[in-house]
Amino acid sequence: VQLVESGGGLVQAGGSLRLSCAASGSMFSFNAMGWYRQAPGKQRELVAAITSGGSTNYADSVKGRFIISRDNAKNTVYLLMNSLRPEDTAVYYCTADRFGGVSSWPNYWGQGAQVTVSS
C-alpha cells in the first residue's frame, strides 16, 4: 500500500492550504483515512480522520478551521486547512486503515508533507 501526499508548503499565518493523499496498491478499500502531524520535539498527533461513511474526528486545536473529506471511489483523502497558525507547522502524514475507526491508530502511513506557517 502506498499513500502519496501532495499540497504542503509555506504559507503566511491566516492563509490556507489543501493537502491531498492518494492510496494505491491495495485491492481493498479503507474504512478510515486521515491525517496526523508531528512538530519538532513533539509527539505525533491526530489532526483529523474520516470513515468511508463520512464520520469524522478532529483534534480540538483544528476544529472550525480544518475540514477533512474523501473520495471513496478514488481512495483519496483531503485536508483543507484554513486560518493557519504558526503552531500548525509540522510534517503532516496521510494515514489509512482497512478496519479501524476514526480513533484507531492507523496501519498505513504516507511519507509526510511539510507544512510551514510563518508569522
Side-chain angles (χ1 to χ4, degrees):
V1 175
Q2 272 196 313
L3 302 176
V4 180
E5 300 106 335
S6 60
L10 173 65
V11 65
Q12 286 191 328
S16 299
L17 279 176
R18 191 177 87 146
L19 300 178
S20 301
C21 172
S24 63
S26 173
M27 294 175 59
F28 307 101
S29 60
F30 302 101
N31 182 54
M33 299 186 76
W35 296 90
Y36 281 66
R37 68 185 181 187
Q38 188 167 21
K42 294 189 176 181
Q43 287 189 330
R44 197 169 292 191
E45 62 176 2
L46 170 72
V47 177
I50 185 170
T51 66
S52 57
S55 297
T56 58
N57 185 21
Y58 289 93
D60 287 342
S61 59
V62 307
K63 283 180 181 176
R65 300 188 297 125
F66 291 10
I67 301 173
I68 190 169
S69 60
R70 65 186 282 178
D71 184 331
N72 292 330
K74 296 181 179 179
N75 260 350
T76 300
V77 64
Y78 307 95
L79 185 69
L80 176 60
M81 303 182 290
N82 298 314
S83 302
L84 282 161
R85 305 167 180 168
E87 54 263 40
D88 294 317
T89 296
V91 176
Y92 283 70
Y93 296 92
C94 174
T95 65
D97 196 277
R98 282 191 61 198
F99 302 112
V102 291
S103 300
S104 303
W105 190 257
N107 281 333
Y108 301 104
W109 294 77
Q111 81 283 359
Q114 178 69 46
V115 171
T116 302
V117 184
S118 63
S119 57

